[in-house]
Amino acid sequence: MTDDAAAGVRPGIADQPAHLVSDADKVGLVRAVRADFDTLFTEDYRQDGHRGIDALYKRAKTTQWDADLDIDWTVGDQIDRARDPRNPMNAVYRTEEGVFGKLSAAQRAEMGHATAAWTTSQFLHAEQGAVVCAAKLVQAAPWIDAKFYAASQVMDEARHTEVYARYLREKLEWQFPVNVHLRGLLDEIVADSRWDFTYLGMQVVIEGLALAAFGIEYQMTPDPLLKQITRYVMADEARHVAFGVLSLRDVYADLTAAELKERQEFCFDAALRMRDRFLAREVWEVLGLPEAECTAIMLHDPVQIEFRRSLFAKIVPNLKKLGLLDHGDGWLRRRFGELGVLVYEDLDDTSTDYHRMDLDHAPWSVVQFQHY
């Protein structure tokens, strides 16, 4: 039996969607996820500087921005920009293959609006998931400095949820439900009793992918308001990812080979879910386009493939820093090789790179309303 078969990996999995969508996945505004984990109290109140978490916490305390005071909500025309065929963000889903080649100019404009709203909606849902996961870490993390930082992250994530909800409601006037791949991963992370899986799934994988996506959006969007929002969020998210890497690096040094293999497999499954999240199946359904055909086209479209690969720019070096990329026989390295994302492995990991994302390094046009 091959190691792929032993691990339950289907042949060719890198070339096919990881999960299908059922009708039951598309309904419901509130859902319950049962979580059973230990709440840990500690009487050691020393803030250990050796993990670097205390430095993150100190920085978080001095960079709390306010969505009402620091964001210029007077900037308008978001829908017109989203519908504009010259908007660089629309290039991510621009192709002439199959049904897409038959779309009229009006239909392409509607697709631009839909993909903008869908993308921001998934950021919104992920941010709510991050609120829940950070709150879980306040309870489950074993160190006081980790509890302090996680508490500050709860506030950060609440602010991100607030700002994206307002942008969708007031500016794009369109909100999509949570993508099934993102929802499944969030549910799994919340339900798992092991606190390090919360770190690994949310802080390293979901937040790491989001950080890369925010970087692309910040560079490409022609919307000054979205550019401002994105830059503020990036500054917070870089600290959050660094928090995950700094917290887990010592923990994973002490795990058994079997425990580390389980975490490798989790990372690969999470990577597939996050890749498939950007196939935008919900958009094709709303626009009345054939979902299966559009999804297949997006899965193999060269522009989409390169876009999805670029989203791993933060995840791969961070997993390498944690020792998961090459643990054992390099199982995760081979899987990531199938996804074509190893090109990013030698980039700086976020625990050493987060300072570069501070708002102190943002242009004045972005932080001119800075109140702290």
Side-chain angles (χ1 to χ4, degrees), residues 292-354:
E293 179 184 351
C294 292
T295 301
I297 291 172
M298 287 296 119
L299 184 63
H300 300 290
D301 178 71
V303 174
Q304 259 284 319
I305 289 173
E306 189 56 38
F307 169 70
R308 292 194 302 269
R309 283 176 179 165
S310 68
L311 298 176
F312 287 82
K314 303 298 181 182
I315 295 175
V316 177
N318 289 331
L319 293 178
K320 185 174 183 178
K321 177 67 173 284
L322 295 175
L324 292 177
L325 189 62
D326 292 304
H327 165 71
D329 60 356
W331 184 89
L332 187 57
R333 172 177 289 279
R334 293 199 303 278
R335 300 290 80 76
F336 275 3
E338 293 176 27
L339 296 179
V341 298
L342 290 178
V343 65
Y344 303 113
E345 67 171 299
D346 293 324
L347 297 181
D348 290 336
D349 69 89
T350 310
S351 68
T352 61
D353 191 46
Y354 73 91

Side-chain angles (χ1 to χ4, degrees), residues 186-362:
L186 288 173
D187 289 357
E188 185 175 336
I189 294 169
V190 170
D192 200 293
S193 62
R194 294 162 294 186
W195 59 266
D196 78 281
F197 270 73
T198 305
Y199 270 113
L200 187 59
M202 176 53 70
Q203 307 294 119
V204 178
V205 176
I206 294 180
E207 300 262 35
L209 183 142
L211 186 57
F214 291 144
I216 295 171
E217 184 172 71
Y218 178 73
Q219 294 297 326
M220 294 179 62
T221 182
D223 177 11
L225 175 58
L226 185 58
K227 188 179 290 286
Q228 186 183 36
I229 290 170
T230 303
R231 187 61 183 84
Y232 270 94
V233 171
M234 285 173 64
D236 293 340
E237 297 292 12
R239 291 195 313 273
H240 302 167
V241 178
F243 175 47
V245 176
L246 291 169
S247 297
L248 293 180
R249 62 181 181 181
D250 293 338
V251 173
Y252 284 0
D254 296 328
L255 293 187
T256 67
E259 290 171 328
L260 289 172
K261 180 63 178 297
E262 185 177 9
R263 283 148 181 82
Q264 287 179 313
E265 293 170 357
F266 169 79
C267 287
F268 181 58
D269 179 68
L272 292 176
R273 291 175 189 251
M274 292 299 93
R275 177 202 66 179
D276 293 351
R277 162 187 168 186
F278 284 92
L279 296 176
R281 190 160 190 150
E282 296 84 0
V283 172
W284 319 135
E285 179 184 25
V286 166
L287 295 180
L289 300 175
E291 295 175 50
E293 179 184 351
C294 292
T295 301
I297 291 172
M298 287 296 119
L299 184 63
H300 300 290
D301 178 71
V303 174
Q304 259 284 319
I305 289 173
E306 189 56 38
F307 169 70
R308 292 194 302 269
R309 283 176 179 165
S310 68
L311 298 176
F312 287 82
K314 303 298 181 182
I315 295 175
V316 177
N318 289 331
L319 293 178
K320 185 174 183 178
K321 177 67 173 284
L322 295 175
L324 292 177
L325 189 62
D326 292 304
H327 165 71
D329 60 356
W331 184 89
L332 187 57
R333 172 177 289 279
R334 293 199 303 278
R335 300 290 80 76
F336 275 3
E338 293 176 27
L339 296 179
V341 298
L342 290 178
V343 65
Y344 303 113
E345 67 171 299
D346 293 324
L347 297 181
D348 290 336
D349 69 89
T350 310
S351 68
T352 61
D353 191 46
Y354 73 91
H355 302 279
R356 189 171 58 84
M357 295 294 164
D358 275 352
L359 290 175
D360 292 343
H361 302 296

Side-chain angles (χ1 to χ4, degrees), residues 23-84:
D23 290 338
D25 290 322
K26 303 172 185 177
V27 297
L29 293 177
V30 178
R31 72 181 188 280
V33 179
R34 180 171 294 279
D36 182 12
F37 61 93
D38 292 334
T39 295
L40 303 181
F41 289 88
T42 177
E43 294 188 15
D44 182 355
Y45 291 95
R46 294 172 298 175
Q47 293 170 247
D48 289 333
H50 75 276
R51 292 192 186 93
I53 298 173
D54 187 50
L56 287 176
Y57 176 55
K58 286 182 168 61
R59 187 60 183 159
K61 289 189 292 184
T62 60
T63 55
Q64 293 291 310
W65 50 277
D66 189 316
D68 292 322
L69 300 178
D70 296 315
I71 302 298
D72 185 5
W73 293 101
T74 65
V75 177
D77 297 326
Q78 278 70 34
I79 293 177
D80 288 342
R81 289 191 183 92
R83 296 175 65 88
D84 189 339

Side-chain angles (χ1 to χ4, degrees), residues 101-120:
K102 303 175 184 178
L103 298 180
S104 66
Q107 287 174 312
R108 287 191 176 277
E110 183 76 355
M111 189 172 80
H113 185 192
T115 52
W118 176 84
T119 300
T120 306

Side-chain angles (χ1 to χ4, degrees), residues 43-197:
E43 294 188 15
D44 182 355
Y45 291 95
R46 294 172 298 175
Q47 293 170 247
D48 289 333
H50 75 276
R51 292 192 186 93
I53 298 173
D54 187 50
L56 287 176
Y57 176 55
K58 286 182 168 61
R59 187 60 183 159
K61 289 189 292 184
T62 60
T63 55
Q64 293 291 310
W65 50 277
D66 189 316
D68 292 322
L69 300 178
D70 296 315
I71 302 298
D72 185 5
W73 293 101
T74 65
V75 177
D77 297 326
Q78 278 70 34
I79 293 177
D80 288 342
R81 289 191 183 92
R83 296 175 65 88
D84 189 339
R86 297 167 297 179
N87 185 334
M89 293 299 294
N90 288 335
V92 175
Y93 294 98
R94 186 179 296 142
T95 177
E96 296 298 322
E97 186 176 347
V99 66
F100 292 106
K102 303 175 184 178
L103 298 180
S104 66
Q107 287 174 312
R108 287 191 176 277
E110 183 76 355
M111 189 172 80
H113 185 192
T115 52
W118 176 84
T119 300
T120 306
S121 294
Q122 302 319 310
F123 289 151
L124 168 65
H125 300 311
E127 296 295 351
Q128 184 192 170
V131 173
V132 173
C133 288
K136 180 180 176 182
L137 288 176
V138 174
Q139 293 181 263
W143 319 294
I144 197 65
D145 48 4
K147 292 180 182 295
F148 286 172
Y149 184 80
S152 75
Q153 185 178 334
V154 172
M155 185 64 228
D156 288 347
E157 306 295 9
R159 187 169 56 243
H160 301 172
T161 305
E162 171 196 359
V163 76
Y164 282 126
R166 182 173 177 179
Y167 183 82
L168 285 166
R169 183 175 61 251
E170 297 181 6
K171 301 301 182 178
L172 288 180
E173 301 176 10
W174 197 349
Q175 180 181 315
F176 279 77
V178 61
N179 172 268
V180 66
H181 309 297
L182 174 60
R183 190 183 79 174
L185 182 57
L186 288 173
D187 289 357
E188 185 175 336
I189 294 169
V190 170
D192 200 293
S193 62
R194 294 162 294 186
W195 59 266
D196 78 281
F197 270 73

